[in-house]
């Protein structure tokens, strides 16, 4: 059962992975030519024109963009969070419902397998591919940074872990939502909406003290990139909240799917 799930979801994983690696390969190939002394000066002058709140939103107030590692700490990891979040939400919304859309749920129900087992195998498959994507991307970027020059390895390794927190929770939430419908399209739009609204709230929360509380409504707050950059540590509370939320939504998804009327 688990091998079947891994095989079915392998193609989409490879496509997403190749796109991500291709984009970051372009960064490592092109960025060194952009950061000569003349261009760095121009970049610094340009950054002075941006409002402070915008710089904070992209961590440019605590990190420069005069190196590949500097770019990763600012725009790079924001991009990683968004892309891995989209992948995780799509995977969570689709991994159960596609059995109903493809009419293969009848085959699964004919096997001597509990519904709970079906959901658990799909959860393991989804978590495996999300974790594998982030690990592969982290290893790829690590090699690219080593070839590009000096960088803080501890900060990078901690930053590499942070996308797991938001991605796992997004997968869990979208899987939970998928147990309330029979159509992939209904959950697909909602899942993407959760990702982009959450991303928007996270950006806005960094743009002033008046909007700071909005971060508590954003899944991406769990990644806590700014704290890792400034203090070189992951807050244990973020790890704890991640596991609590995942346990809550996945446990409820299993409970509800066992009682769901399948078509």
């Amino acid at each position: 059962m688990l091998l079947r799930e891994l095989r079915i979801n392998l193609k989409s994983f490879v496509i997403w992975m190749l796109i991500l690696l291709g984009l970051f390969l372009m960064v490592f190939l092109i960025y060194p030519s952009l950061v000569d002394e003349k261009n760095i000066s121009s970049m610094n002058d340009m950054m002075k024109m941006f409002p402070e709140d915008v710089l904070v939103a992209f961590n440019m107030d605590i990190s420069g963009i005069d190196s590949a590692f500097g770019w990763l700490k600012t725009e790079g990891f924001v991009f990683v969070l968004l892309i891995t979040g989209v992948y995780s939400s799509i995977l969570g919304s689709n991994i159960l419902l596609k059995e109903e859309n493809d009419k293969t749920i009848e085959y699964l129900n004919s096997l001597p397998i509990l519904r709970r087992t079906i959901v658990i195998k799909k959860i393991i498959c989804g978590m495996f591919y999300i974790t594998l994507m982030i690990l592969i991307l982290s290893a790829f970027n690590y090699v690219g940074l080593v070839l590009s020059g000096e960088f803080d390895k501890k900060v990078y390794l901690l930053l590499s872990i942070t996308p797991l927190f938001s991605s796992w929770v997004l997968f869990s939430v979208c899987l939970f939502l998928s147990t309330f419908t029979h159509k992939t399209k209904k959950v697909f739009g909602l899942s993407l909406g959760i990702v982009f609204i959450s991303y928007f709230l996270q950006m806005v929360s960094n743009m002033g003290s008046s909007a700071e509380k909005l971060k508590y409504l954003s899944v991406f707050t769990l990644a806590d990139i700014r704290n890792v950059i400034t203090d070189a540590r992951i807050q244990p509370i973020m790890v704890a909240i991640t596991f609590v939320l995942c346990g809550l939504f996945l446990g409820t998804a299993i409970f509800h799917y066992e009682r769901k009327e399948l078509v």
Side-chain angles (χ1 to χ4, degrees):
M1 178 72 183
L2 181 57
L3 291 177
R4 172 185 178 272
E5 289 303 319
L6 292 172
R7 185 176 65 255
I8 290 173
N9 292 282
L10 178 60
K11 183 178 179 180
S12 63
F13 169 79
V14 171
I15 293 172
W16 277 87
M17 195 75 257
L18 289 176
I19 292 173
L20 263 177
L21 294 181
L23 289 172
F24 279 92
L25 178 61
M26 290 178 59
V27 170
F28 288 115
L29 291 177
I30 297 174
Y31 209 82
S33 64
L34 298 178
V35 291
D36 55 29
E37 292 185 4
K38 181 179 179 180
N39 287 336
I40 290 176
S41 178
S42 299
M43 288 180 183
N44 290 332
D45 291 339
M46 180 180 65
M47 288 177 64
K48 292 177 182 178
M49 299 172 60
F50 288 106
E52 181 67 20
D53 292 341
V54 174
L55 297 179
V56 171
F58 289 94
N59 300 320
M60 291 182 180
D61 61 319
I62 55 177
S63 177
I65 56 173
D66 54 350
S67 65
F69 184 48
W71 179 83
L72 275 175
K73 288 191 292 183
T74 54
E75 296 175 336
F77 266 98
V78 171
F79 176 75
V80 170
L81 288 177
L82 186 58
I83 296 300
T84 55
V86 169
Y87 171 76
S88 301
S89 66
I90 292 175
L91 186 60
S93 65
N94 185 57
I95 200 166
L96 269 175
L97 282 181
K98 69 181 178 181
E99 302 291 357
E100 296 181 52
N101 289 333
D102 298 340
K103 307 302 181 182
T104 53
I105 191 62
E106 297 175 2
Y107 164 72
L108 292 179
N109 280 334
S110 68
L111 299 176
I113 302 175
L114 296 174
R115 283 195 191 181
R116 174 175 300 189
T117 303
I118 294 174
V119 182
I120 290 174
K121 297 295 184 184
K122 289 181 177 292
I123 290 172
I124 294 173
C125 174
M127 290 295 194
F128 172 78
Y129 275 131
I130 292 169
T131 305
L132 184 61
M133 171 179 284
I134 293 171
L135 291 178
I136 292 175
L137 181 62
S138 299
F140 180 86
N141 286 339
Y142 184 87
V143 173
L145 289 172
V146 168
L147 297 176
S148 298
E150 293 293 326
F151 66 101
D152 191 323
K153 294 180 174 59
K154 179 182 178 181
V155 170
Y156 173 74
L157 291 174
L158 291 175
L159 283 173
S160 299
I161 297 172
T162 57
L164 288 172
F165 306 142
S166 54
S167 296
W168 283 343
V169 172
L170 283 168
F171 171 80
S172 304
V173 170
C174 294
L175 180 73
F176 166 71
L177 293 174
S178 74
T179 63
F180 289 90
T181 184
H182 299 287
K183 300 295 183 181
T184 304
K185 291 182 180 179
K186 292 182 179 180
V187 185
F188 182 81
L190 180 60
S191 300
L192 291 182
I194 291 173
V195 174
F196 289 109
I197 290 174
S198 191
Y199 174 76
F200 175 76
L201 291 174
Q202 175 65 18
M203 291 293 102
V204 172
S205 70
N206 289 326
M207 293 184 176
S209 57
S210 59
E212 186 177 2
K213 291 184 179 180
L214 291 176
K215 68 181 181 181
Y216 298 114
L217 301 176
S218 173
V219 175
F220 295 111
T221 298
L222 295 170
D224 200 20
I225 290 178
R226 285 184 66 84
N227 178 69
V228 174
I229 295 173
T230 56
D231 299 335
R233 63 185 293 268
I234 293 175
Q235 297 186 67
I237 185 63
M238 296 302 178
V239 180
I241 292 174
T242 297
F243 282 106
V244 169
L245 289 176
C246 287
L248 176 63
F249 282 107
L250 293 178
T252 309
I254 294 171
F255 176 82
H256 188 261
Y257 193 75
E258 286 184 313
R259 291 154 179 78
K260 181 180 181 181
E261 182 178 347
L262 302 178
V263 294

